[in-house]
């Protein structure tokens, strides 16, 4: 997998964790005994049952995806970049906020 895609997935995962969202990471497989979909030792039915009756967004991203990421053009500064955010504008925001 391209490093930039992996970094973007990690950034998305971090944002979800900051929102205290249900995040499960690992290999997806079916349990031979029950037939349930499982990630690590967590049955997806158990995770999803916590959100029953609520409006949800489900995002699934594979680390094994080999497609190259699309090059974007920043609407603010015009820089071409790959990933979730423009690195030039991100650096400027960090610098201006004193972090």
């Amino acid at each position: 997998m391209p490093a930039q895609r992996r970094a973007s997935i990690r950034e998305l995962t971090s944002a979800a964790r900051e929102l205290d969202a249900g995040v499960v990471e690992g290999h997806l497989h079916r349990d031979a005994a029950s037939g349930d979909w499982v990630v690590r030792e967590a049955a997806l039915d158990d995770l999803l049952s916590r959100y029953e009756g609520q409006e949800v967004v489900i995002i699934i991203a594979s680390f094994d995806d080999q497609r190259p990421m699309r090059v974007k053009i920043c609407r603010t500064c015009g820089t071409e970049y790959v990933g979730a955010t423009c690195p030039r504008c991100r650096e400027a925001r960090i610098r201006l906020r004193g972090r």
Side-chain angles (χ1 to χ4, degrees):
M1 154 180 281
Q4 188 62 42
R5 180 175 293 276
R6 181 174 286 278
S8 293
I9 291 171
R10 292 280 185 213
E11 187 174 332
L12 180 62
T13 303
S14 294
R17 285 193 174 113
E18 286 177 13
L19 291 171
D20 201 22
V23 176
V24 179
E25 185 178 333
H27 288 276
L28 175 67
H29 64 278
R30 278 203 186 263
D31 184 31
S34 67
D36 292 340
W37 286 106
V38 177
V39 176
R40 286 195 182 163
E41 294 84 34
L44 292 183
D45 283 345
D46 295 340
L47 174 67
L48 295 175
S49 67
R50 295 190 327 201
Y51 300 98
E52 186 173 354
Q54 300 176 33
E55 186 175 1
V56 299
V57 174
I58 297 174
I59 299 171
I60 298 177
S62 172
F63 283 121
D64 296 330
D65 191 342
Q66 296 299 319
R67 293 177 294 166
M69 292 193 54
R70 185 173 55 98
V71 176
K72 301 178 205 169
I73 297 175
C74 179
R75 294 180 182 175
T76 303
C77 70
T79 300
E80 289 186 355
Y81 68 97
V82 175
T85 59
C86 170
R88 183 176 178 189
C89 290
R90 182 175 181 274
E91 288 296 320
R93 281 192 304 275
I94 291 170
R95 186 178 64 251
L96 293 172
R97 291 179 183 158
R99 295 181 191 177

